[in-house]
């Protein structure tokens, strides 16, 4: 059995184990909250010994493979697996007719066929699955399955889909009366955001093993194992208690592992053959085997009065959801509710759609609906500041939300110490952060002398020729945890036990360690709360209650909160008991405060749990003749409420900023008539170390009174604000309007061709 | 039917390799494997057999032939950059741009040529300097000038049973430049690239263009631009720009996911003007820009 090993971390100095409660908040603890203990997975990941899902093997296992549609839209007339089945070593070829239970699944709406029924709606849609002795044989067998397609014209234009009423969700926001205002300045622009991919380095992978109880065991890289189970069991026609799942080593996620990928397919093959089945996508398949970030087309109109106060905002936002629903509904909710960002404005018209097309399905990715609009509203804030003759930071400061402000949904900003005031005015964390970023001098990074410090890098394209510097700012507002009335909770069990004379705390949750350092965080909380040093993490599996998803920047808040609550319960029991008499255990379910759905007509409602802010300043060097960009500095001010683990936090800010940099200047899944043109790391470019500058971070701790330890989710906000900051800096260097991301070299040089 | 049963021949020297290749024409040579194994992993090719070139000492050396350097086809990029930057600055600069350190440690010029991708970074400097490709088979050895080597996208004059044994590159007789445009600052396939070599002895200019046509290209018309040889003061921006226009005109680019044809032409013109200014200034005591 490929049981994932328990992850142990013991700090070097283990004092005499206490048998009576000694811990509690406020007791600093080596390896506790606020410190950066070595991650339990660090050494194995660095030396290559870590078992990722793709490394798992099982004696006698078969390899599964997916036959996918080459067409973005087609009717399936017939599927003939005979030639594939005749190949020696091929154990099974399954199609939609072989799905034991429900034919569809989905995170919000069950509309994604397990295997295509009589039509395919995107290129790469699974049509049949094959199990064979080797992966190569499974691929050859897939090629031998004869599928008779009637190819149809794909519908790829999201605007046309919206016109035709073909969308997953329409969400308006109505506030005040924009048309009745008398602005001093108005800017109207259109913005385009390309399709970004999460590009996790670990491909989709897992093993399914038939279980003795007639069910099936799955070891799989996933962000939310209980949501998998809930979708999987009905498709397999099994009771949920017959599906046993454990999270296998995850090589990055960023939203790509929220939807099912290999899960149902390998389980079907295992049940059909009675043997263990492994599936592992290659890079090309991974690019079509998970959902992407929604591409967007947005039209924004921003208006201000003569004092530099926002008067109104009108926004028309069309997100392309692709062929199936995935989480588009929730992404549209975020795009609409966060459409103007962290600014006060009393007159608003927002119309946001998630269109249905034959493009690749889009769903969760870090930033989740907040990224696209952030690029638009921050570009607008710069344009309007310029129109007003105001400094861009000053213009933002004048409009920044404060404690007690209302968002455009009517949600009151109540996430800060209510007693805290700023020169008699309600405290505005954003105004404070804008002041801080202003106080950090723009770094005097010399224009590079070595080619690796210049735009174009080792390509040796410039030795300084054509290089101009620019500086730009970006601010992002992201909701943390699940919004709009979702019952969002996490479960943790803690058992305190004497093991060979040592006090050991065992933690059991189903929370996915996707690389963010969540295992460390759980252990830190247990050390602080229980005053013990040795903490062991049990495998993350469905024997524990649901922890919810490792997404929405929520796991420190939610599973952190659950671990804290369970530790507190154990600590309470421990006051009256001696561990020598037996282990002490407690399980706790943690919920954040309730939220409400957005009103379908006005968009009003307290839809979000927690709000998190991040500010970036980017300094870039642009080779304006070749259109090549080198980001030479990113300065970031982020409010995290409480620094739980400094090293992990910095990693999140660096990583989030890098992903935002990628969207700003290089990352795009290019589709043509519904076909993906660059499903490889040769042509889907993500930033390298020569693209990502050293960062200057100023981390602010404005505690959220509602959240465990006052913390704010930190993983997503930097992904929002780094993109508009970088694009603003490129605008500053080039003087070009740049309304489309990623900014490509030809966008920066197109004007040369137009010169006489 | 597993993936590991294909025979893997491991000849110890070149003669044995050529014999084995004659006897097993289906065997695919593998040097660094940085092109081939990607194709194998994606099942774009399923070699019936492989022939390992990494043990052939003859291919892993370079020698000084007086006015040229003969580089064994199996010398990895990392060594070209480290050991040949003075005598072959253009090729060394190109080698430095290939992939990542891991790729440069394994990847070879022989593999680059045999793959014959229009985007191969090794090709433009070879075209700019007029290198010769040495090809051997059990039947004997032939030498092909690099301009005649490429016949189409990923196609060359290389025949089954033949191995590239060496590339002979004239020693630099003046400054050389290689510029590669990519949408990322490292580890990127060229959107377009350009090599320029100034031969002060022969008073000749050489060019090589990458990723802007069905094969790597030269720019004969640009090579013939009239330069004020020996007269420092007479070089000017108009000359550099005219050279840029001629290089751009020699390109035959297409639109693809890496860039548009229009951008490639524009970028080549910019790169060419910069390259010519740099080599000219370097030759005439300037800063080397
Ligand atoms: C991550 C990555 C990044 C890359 N970046 C670049 C880049 O920036 N620029 C670039 O130009 N390339 C790049 N490449 C492609 C590749 O590294 C180069 O083309 C390299 O030169 C190939 O050499 P090799 O020795 O690895 O060839 P192999 O993969 O061993 O062989 C390639 C082909 O050549 C044949 N072959 C090899 N040697 C001989 C010989 N002596 N005689 C006859 N046939 C032979 C093989 O049969 C095979 O068909 C990259 C590849 C990867 C994986």
């Amino acid at each position: 059995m490929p049981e994932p090993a328990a992850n142990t971390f013991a700090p070097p100095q283990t004092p005499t184990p206490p048998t009576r409660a000694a811990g509690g908040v406020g007791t600093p603890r080596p390896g506790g909250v606020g410190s950066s203990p070595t991650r339990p997975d660090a050494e194995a990941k660095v030396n290559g010994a870590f078992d990722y899902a793709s490394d798992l093997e099982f004696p006698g296992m078969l390899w599964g493979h997916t036959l996918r549609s080459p067409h973005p839209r087609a009717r399936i007339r017939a599927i003939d697996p005979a030639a594939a089945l005749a190949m020696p070593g091929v154990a099974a070829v399954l199609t939609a007719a072989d799905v034991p239970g429900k034919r569809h699944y989905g995170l919000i709406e069950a509309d994604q066929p397990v295997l295509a029924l009589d039509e395919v709606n995107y290129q790469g849609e699974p049509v049949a699955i094959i199990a064979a002795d080797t992966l190569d044989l499974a691929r050859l067998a897939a090629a031998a399955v004869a599928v008779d397609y009637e190819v149809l014209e794909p519908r790829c234009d999201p605007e046309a889909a919206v016109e035709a009423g073909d969308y997953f969700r329409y969400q308006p926001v109505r506030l005040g009366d924009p048309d009745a205002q008398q602005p001093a300045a108005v800017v109207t622009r259109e913005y385009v955001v390309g399709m970004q991919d999460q590009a996790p380095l670990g491909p989709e992978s897992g093993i399914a093993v038939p279980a003795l109880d007639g069910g099936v065991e799955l070891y799989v890289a996933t962000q939310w194992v209980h949501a998998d189970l809930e979708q999987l069991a009905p498709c397999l026609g099994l009771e949920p208690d017959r599906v046993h799942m454990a999270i296998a080593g995850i090589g990055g996620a960023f939203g790509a592992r929220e939807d099912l990928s290999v899960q149902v397919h390998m389980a079907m093959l295992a049940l059909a053959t009675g043997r263990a089945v492994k599936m592992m996508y290659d890079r090309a398949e991974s690019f079509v085997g998970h959902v992407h970030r929604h591409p967007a087309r947005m039209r924004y109109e921003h208006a201000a009065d003569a004092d530099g106060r926002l008067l109104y905002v009108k926004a028309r936002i069309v997100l392309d959801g692709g062929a199936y629903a995935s989480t588009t509904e929730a992404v549209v909710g975020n795009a609409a509710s966060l459409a103007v960002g962290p600014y006060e404005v009393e007159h608003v018209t927002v119309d946001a759609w998630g269109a249905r097309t034959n493009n690749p399905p889009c769903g969760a990715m870090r930033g989740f609906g907040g990224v696209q609009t952030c690029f638009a509203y921050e570009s607008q804030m710069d344009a309007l500041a310029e129109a007003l003759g105001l400094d861009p930071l000053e213009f933002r400061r004048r409009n920044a939300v404060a404690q007690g402000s209302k968002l455009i949904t009517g949600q009151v900003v109540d996430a800060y110490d209510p007693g805290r005031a700023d020169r008699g005015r309600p405290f505005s964390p954003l105004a404070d952060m804008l002041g801080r970023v202003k106080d950090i001098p723009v770094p005097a990074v010399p224009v590079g002398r070595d080619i690796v410090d210049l735009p174009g890098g080792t390509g040796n394209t410039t030795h300084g020729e054509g290089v101009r510097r620019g500086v730009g700012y970006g601010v992002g507002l992201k909701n943390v945890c699940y919004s709009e009335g979702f019952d969002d909770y996490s479960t943790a069990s803690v058992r305190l036990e004497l093991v060979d004379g040592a006090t050991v705390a065992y933690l059991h949750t189903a929370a996915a360690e996707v690389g963010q350092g969540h295992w460390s965080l759980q252990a830190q909380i247990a050390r602080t709360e229980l005053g013990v040093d040795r903490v062991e993490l049990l495998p993350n599996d469905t024997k524990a209650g649901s922890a919810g998803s490792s997404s929405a920047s929520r796991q420190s808040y939610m599973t952190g909160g659950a671990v804290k609550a369970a530790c507190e319960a154990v600590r309470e029991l421990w006051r009256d008991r001696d561990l020598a008499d037996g282990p002490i255990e407690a399980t706790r379910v943690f919920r954040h405060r309730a939220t409400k759905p957005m009103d379908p007509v006005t968009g009003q409602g307290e839809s979000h749990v927690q709000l998190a802010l991040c500010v970036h300043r980017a300094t870039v060097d642009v080779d304006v003749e070749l259109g090549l960009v080198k980001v030479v500095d990113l300065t970031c001010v982020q409010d995290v409420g409480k620094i739980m683990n400094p090293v992990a936090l910095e990693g999140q800010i660096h990583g989030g900023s890098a992903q935002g940099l990628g969207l700003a200047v290089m990352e795009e899944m290019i589709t043509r008539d519904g076909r993906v043109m660059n499903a490889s790391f040769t042509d889907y470019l993500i930033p390298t170390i020569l693209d990502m500058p050293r960062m200057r971070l100023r981390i602010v701790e404005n505690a959220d009174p509602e959240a465990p330890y006052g913390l704010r989710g930190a993983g997503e906000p930097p992904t929002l604000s780094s993109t508009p900051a970088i694009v603003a800096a490129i605008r500053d260097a080039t003087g070009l309007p740049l309304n489309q991301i990623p900014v490509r070299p030809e966008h920066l040089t197109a004007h040369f061709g137009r010169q006489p | 039917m597993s993936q590991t049963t294909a025979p893997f021949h491991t000849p110890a020297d070149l003669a044995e390799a050529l014999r084995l290749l004659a006897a097993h024409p289906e065997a695919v040579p593998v040097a660094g494997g940085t092109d081939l194994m990607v194709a194998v992993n994606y099942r774009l090719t399923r070699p019936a057999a492989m022939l390992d070139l990494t043990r052939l000492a003859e291919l892993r050396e370079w020698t000084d032939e007086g006015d040229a350097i003969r580089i064994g086809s199996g010398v990895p990029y990392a060594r070209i950059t480290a050991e040949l930057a003075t005598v072959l600055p253009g090729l060394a600069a190109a080698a430095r741009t290939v992939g990542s350190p891991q790729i440069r440690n394994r990847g070879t010029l022989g593999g680059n040529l045999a793959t014959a991708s229009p985007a191969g970074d090794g090709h433009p400097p070879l075209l700019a300097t007029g290198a010769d490709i040495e090809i051997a088979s059990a039947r004997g050895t032939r030498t092909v000038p690099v301009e005649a080597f490429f016949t189409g996208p990923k196609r060359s004059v290389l025949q089954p049973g033949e191995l590239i044994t060496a590339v002979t590159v004239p020693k630099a007789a003046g400054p050389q430049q290689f510029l590669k445009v990519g949408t990322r600052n490292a580890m990127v396939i060229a959107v377009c690239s350009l090599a320029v070599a100034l031969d002060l002895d022969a008073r000749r200019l050489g060019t090589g263009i990458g990723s802007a046509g069905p094969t790597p290209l030269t720019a004969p018309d640009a090579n013939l631009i009239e330069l004020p040889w020996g007269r420092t003061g007479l070089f000017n921006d108009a000359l550099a720009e005219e050279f840029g226009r001629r290089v751009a005109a020699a390109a035959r680019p297409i639109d693809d996911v890496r860039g548009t044809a229009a951008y490639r032409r524009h970028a080549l013109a910019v790169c060419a003007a910069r390259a010519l200014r740099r080599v000219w200034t370097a030759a005439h005591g300037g800063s080397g820009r």
Side-chain angles (χ1 to χ4, degrees):
Chain A
M1 195 81 9
E3 273 279 319
N7 300 287
T8 311
F9 173 72
Q13 75 292 35
T14 309
T16 331
T19 55
R20 286 272 170 192
V25 192
T27 320
R29 197 81 214 160
V33 168
S35 68
S36 300
T38 305
R39 297 165 55 133
D41 49 339
E43 189 179 325
K45 280 182 175 166
V46 169
N47 69 22
F50 186 82
D51 270 339
Y52 289 97
S54 51
D55 298 319
L56 298 179
E57 292 195 353
F58 196 88
M61 73 182 188
L62 295 167
W63 283 86
H65 184 63
T66 317
L67 172 65
R68 293 174 182 273
S69 166
H71 309 294
R73 183 164 169 239
R75 241 186 297 283
I76 297 176
R77 290 203 199 93
I79 304 177
D80 181 2
L85 281 168
M87 296 166 73
V90 172
V93 179
L94 307 180
T95 64
D98 304 302
V99 176
K102 275 182 58 190
R103 302 275 176 89
H104 296 86
Y105 65 83
L107 274 166
I108 299 178
E109 184 190 328
D111 70 337
Q112 165 95 41
V114 172
L115 291 165
L117 294 158
D118 44 13
E119 57 176 30
V120 286
N121 287 300
Y122 69 96
Q123 181 209 25
E125 182 164 348
V127 171
I129 46 177
I130 292 98
D133 287 346
T134 67
L135 177 56
D136 199 33
L137 181 56
R139 287 168 200 254
L140 289 168
V145 175
V147 185
D148 182 5
Y149 292 105
E150 179 192 342
V151 177
L152 302 173
E153 184 73 22
R155 289 171 291 214
C156 300
D157 179 359
E159 300 270 3
V162 166
E163 288 297 302
D166 207 1
Y167 47 81
F168 298 106
R169 179 176 180 182
Y170 163 62
Q171 180 60 56
V173 180
R174 294 289 181 267
L175 188 66
D177 187 358
D179 292 325
Q181 307 310 311
Q182 314 257 297
V186 181
V187 292
T188 307
R189 304 259 158 101
E190 295 194 6
Y191 298 94
V192 177
V193 177
M195 185 188 290
Q196 190 177 19
D197 191 78
Q198 303 86 345
L201 293 191
E204 289 74 3
S205 195
I207 291 192
V209 185
L212 293 175
D213 61 7
V216 61
E217 293 169 13
L218 283 89
Y219 303 86
V220 68
T222 174
Q223 284 174 250
W224 187 1
V225 69
H226 284 80
D228 286 4
L229 192 149
E230 211 174 282
Q231 296 171 81
L232 219 123
C235 295
L236 297 176
L238 290 174
E239 288 305 315
D241 65 359
R242 290 289 180 276
V243 180
H244 315 278
M245 296 189 69
I247 304 181
I250 299 174
F254 314 108
R257 299 185 205 279
E258 256 195 6
D259 293 73
L260 295 181
S261 58
V262 295
Q263 287 90 327
V264 201
H265 295 159
M266 66 186 191
M268 277 174 62
L269 289 168
L271 290 169
T273 59
R275 289 168 69 181
V277 174
K278 172 170 179 171
M279 286 188 97
M280 177 179 76
Y281 295 170
D282 70 13
R283 184 56 56 192
E285 186 173 16
S286 177
F287 270 109
V288 296
H290 61 244
V291 298
H292 317 286
R293 187 192 299 294
H294 293 72
R297 289 171 179 278
M298 298 168 286
R299 185 173 191 279
Y300 266 76
E301 182 175 325
H302 271 60
D305 65 17
D307 297 333
R309 297 210 157 262
L310 278 177
L311 264 188
Y312 71 80
V313 176
K314 295 184 193 177
R316 184 180 193 278
I317 300 160
V318 175
L319 302 168
D320 187 352
Y324 295 107
S326 181
T327 48
T328 292
E329 190 185 314
V331 169
V332 170
N334 275 4
S337 59
L338 304 173
V340 308
Y343 305 111
E344 285 187 334
V345 54
E346 285 168 16
H347 304 281
V348 173
T349 308
V350 172
D351 295 287
W353 289 268
R356 184 203 313 266
T357 63
N358 294 112
N359 289 320
C362 289
M365 180 173 174
R366 194 179 200 170
F368 203 78
V371 164
Q372 297 89 337
T373 51
C374 183
F375 168 60
Y377 64 68
E378 284 302 280
S379 300
Q380 287 289 97
M381 292 302 279
D382 281 343
L384 196 49
E386 196 185 326
L388 291 162
L390 282 175
D391 170 78
L393 286 182
E394 171 57 19
F395 179 53
R396 286 172 171 86
R397 194 195 59 76
R398 287 189 196 175
N399 293 287
V401 291
Q403 175 79 352
S405 299
K406 279 186 181 166
L407 301 183
I408 61 171
T409 51
Q411 174 148 11
V412 177
V413 177
D414 61 352
Y416 302 91
D417 175 3
R420 191 165 162 192
D422 192 1
R423 283 182 237 107
R425 293 224 303 264
F427 173 60
S428 167
L430 178 54
D432 173 64
M433 291 162 76
L434 293 169
R436 284 173 199 256
V437 78
K438 200 170 180 161
D439 290 345
I440 308 165
V442 176
V445 181
V447 170
R449 248 170 257 143
D450 191 290
I451 51 173
V452 297
D453 299 321
L454 284 159
T458 56
N460 187 38
T461 44
T462 180
H463 295 176
E465 303 104 306
V467 175
R468 269 196 239 145
R469 176 151 299 179
V471 176
Y473 296 90
V475 176
L477 173 71
K478 179 68 184 52
N479 57 320
V480 172
C481 300
Y482 280 32
S483 297
E484 295 197 71
F486 190 86
D487 180 22
D488 191 10
Y489 66 93
S490 178
T491 320
S493 298
V494 175
R495 190 173 83 238
L496 200 61
E497 192 176 339
L498 275 182
V499 179
D500 297 333
T503 310
V504 184
Y506 292 92
L507 307 186
H508 192 193
T509 76
E513 166 61 82
V514 294
Q516 81 278 47
H518 185 66
W519 283 337
S520 257
L521 184 100
Q522 287 191 12
Q524 288 175 253
I525 291 174
R527 280 188 209 108
T528 291
E529 296 300 331
L530 295 171
V532 302
D533 292 298
R534 242 184 94 187
V535 180
E536 300 210 6
L537 306 184
L538 300 175
N540 308 119
D541 55 26
T542 50
K543 294 188 196 94
S546 176
S549 180
S550 287
S551 61
S553 307
R554 66 181 280 291
Q555 235 21 320
S556 297
Y557 193 132
M558 297 304 296
T559 301
V563 168
K564 179 170 185 276
C567 286
E568 285 164 351
V570 165
R571 203 171 70 212
E572 219 34 60
L573 295 168
W574 196 9
R575 290 195 205 287
D576 311 320
R577 271 163 57 183
D578 197 307
L579 267 190
D581 300 334
I584 303 174
E585 293 181 63
T587 297
R588 285 293 177 273
V589 174
F590 179 84
R591 281 186 164 76
H592 58 65
R593 67 175 174 188
T595 59
K596 295 197 189 80
M598 295 172 77
D599 182 278
V601 177
T602 65
Q604 299 299 299
E606 301 256 329
S607 61
H608 297 311
V609 180
Q610 189 187 49
L611 302 166
L613 287 166
C614 186
V615 177
H616 271 91
R617 180 182 61 213
T619 307
V620 306
D621 282 344
V622 182
D623 181 336
V624 298
E625 292 165 18
L626 287 176
L628 302 180
V629 176
K630 169 95 179 172
V631 181
V632 296
D633 180 70
L634 278 174
T635 298
C636 174
V637 182
Q638 186 171 344
D639 180 5
V640 302
K642 160 81 184 167
I643 300 173
M644 300 292 287
N645 179 320
V647 168
L649 174 64
E650 285 171 19
Q652 286 299 300
I653 301 175
H654 291 158
S657 302
Q659 225 151 7
L661 183 155
L663 179 60
V665 295
M666 63 181 83
E667 291 192 39
E668 184 176 9
M669 299 260 306
I670 298 169
T671 60
R672 206 161 288 158
D673 301 327
R675 278 170 220 277
V676 179
M677 306 303 289
N678 57 338
S680 77
F681 277 147
T682 307
D683 286 314
Y684 184 88
L685 302 180
I686 55 178
T688 70
I689 199 70
L690 283 185
D691 299 285
M692 181 65 194
R694 276 185 172 281
M695 289 191 69
R696 284 154 226 258
L697 309 182
R698 294 290 182 280
I699 297 165
V700 187
E701 295 181 285
N702 291 313
D704 179 347
E706 296 263 347
Y709 304 103
L711 71 81
R712 281 169 208 284
E716 289 172 291
T719 314
L720 273 65
S721 46
S722 61
T723 307
I726 290 164
V727 178
I730 302 173
R731 283 188 197 112
D732 186 40
T734 61
L736 298 168
L738 305 180
N739 294 341
Q740 180 176 348
I741 48 174
V743 175
R744 299 175 66 93
E746 53 261 35
H747 300 165
L748 298 179
T749 57
H751 63 97
F752 285 105
R754 288 199 291 271
Q755 274 166 8
Chain B
M1 291 253 349
S2 114
Q3 297 138 43
T4 50
T5 50
F8 192 77
H9 304 290
T10 54
D13 58 34
L14 181 60
E16 189 190 352
L18 294 174
R19 266 202 313 278
L20 278 166
L21 205 53
H24 305 279
E26 76 290 355
V28 178
V30 55
T34 60
D35 268 326
L36 183 66
M37 293 313 294
V38 175
V40 168
N41 284 337
Y42 274 116
R43 277 78 181 172
L44 301 176
T45 169
R46 290 183 162 78
M50 285 199 200
L51 182 89
D52 178 22
L53 302 182
T54 58
R55 289 156 216 240
L56 312 185
E58 300 95 319
L59 305 190
R60 298 187 65 84
E61 273 150 28
W62 61 266
T63 48
D64 190 330
E65 310 273 299
D67 52 5
I69 302 288
R70 183 179 177 278
I71 307 171
S73 60
V75 175
Y77 293 110
R79 283 186 58 203
I80 294 176
T81 311
E83 298 165 24
L84 296 172
T86 320
V87 276
L88 305 177
L91 184 62
R96 187 185 176 191
T97 73
V98 174
S100 57
Q102 297 91 326
I103 299 296
R104 295 194 288 277
N105 285 337
R106 296 236 15 128
T108 66
L109 206 50
N112 206 225
L113 282 164
T115 297
S117 158
D121 288 321
H123 311 145
L126 300 182
L127 285 163
T129 52
D132 286 324
I133 319 293
E134 190 183 296
I135 297 172
S137 68
R139 299 178 299 277
T141 300
R142 61 179 178 132
T143 298
V144 179
V146 66
E147 307 89 76
F149 181 79
F150 306 104
T151 55
K154 301 213 168 183
R155 285 202 311 273
S156 72
V157 299
L158 202 62
Q159 296 296 312
E162 287 187 325
L163 287 179
I164 299 169
T165 44
V167 182
T168 302
V169 190
K171 282 186 189 168
Q176 300 182 346
Q177 281 284 316
F178 176 78
L179 291 81
K180 168 173 162 182
V181 176
T183 319
R184 179 160 75 181
N185 288 308
M187 253 294 268
V188 67
I189 302 287
V191 172
C192 60
S193 65
L194 178 74
V196 167
L198 197 62
D199 185 334
L200 295 169
D201 299 340
R203 296 199 158 177
R204 208 169 50 211
L205 193 58
T207 51
I209 300 172
S211 257
T215 65
L217 302 166
T218 53
D221 192 35
N223 293 346
L224 296 177
I225 193 167
E226 271 204 49
L227 291 171
W229 298 99
R231 289 169 298 155
T232 319
L234 294 183
F235 185 81
N236 58 33
D237 274 350
L239 262 179
E241 273 150 32
E242 173 58 19
F243 179 65
R245 270 191 292 277
R246 292 190 188 190
V247 166
R252 288 190 278 141
I254 53 165
D255 288 341
D256 63 22
V257 291
R258 292 176 196 153
T260 60
Y263 174 73
R264 288 184 160 106
R265 271 193 213 281
H266 165 79
L268 281 171
V270 172
C271 287
R274 286 182 184 178
L276 186 59
R277 258 187 233 115
R278 289 182 198 168
V279 293
W280 192 264
T281 319
H284 297 84
S287 65
R289 273 201 163 181

